[in-house]
Amino acid sequence: MTITEAKPIVQESLDKLKESIKREISYTKELADDKLTLEILEKRKTDGEELPVGCPYESYDQWIEQINKEIKSSETSIARIGKEKAEIMAFDYFVKNASESA
């Protein structure tokens, strides 16, 4: 494959990555919300409060487990975005600087 052939393919990947990292703020907000929810749930559990009426969870433990999964998912997404930012830099450099004669 030549550089001329590779550039449009790399540019397409670059465009997709730029779209993907736009969700970083959303993931960060979700993570903050989930961590706050976790604190509240742990306090309610410690205080022996009853689950709210209509709560879909059978226990605070089950609810806390779900929130922990959501926290892990957000952290994974944020870490992935960090990697995508590095890929954007590399792809952008290639598209701008790769010599057609190479």
Side-chain angles (χ1 to χ4, degrees), residues 34-64:
D34 288 342
K35 286 183 175 184
L36 180 60
T37 300
L38 182 61
E39 286 179 32
I40 291 167
L41 293 176
E42 287 174 341
K43 181 171 181 351
R44 287 181 180 178
K45 178 184 171 188
T46 301
D47 292 348
E49 287 186 34
E50 294 290 321
L51 289 170
V53 175
C55 178
Y57 300 100
E58 295 178 13
S59 68
Y60 277 110
D61 288 335
Q62 187 183 50
W63 199 349
I64 289 169

Side-chain angles (χ1 to χ4, degrees), residues 12-38:
E12 183 180 337
S13 293
L14 179 59
D15 294 342
K16 287 179 183 178
L17 288 169
K18 286 180 178 179
E19 278 300 309
S20 177
I21 66 168
K22 288 180 180 179
R23 295 188 290 267
E24 182 177 22
I25 292 170
S26 175
Y27 289 131
T28 302
K29 287 178 183 178
E30 265 183 51
L31 180 59
D33 289 347
D34 288 342
K35 286 183 175 184
L36 180 60
T37 300
L38 182 61

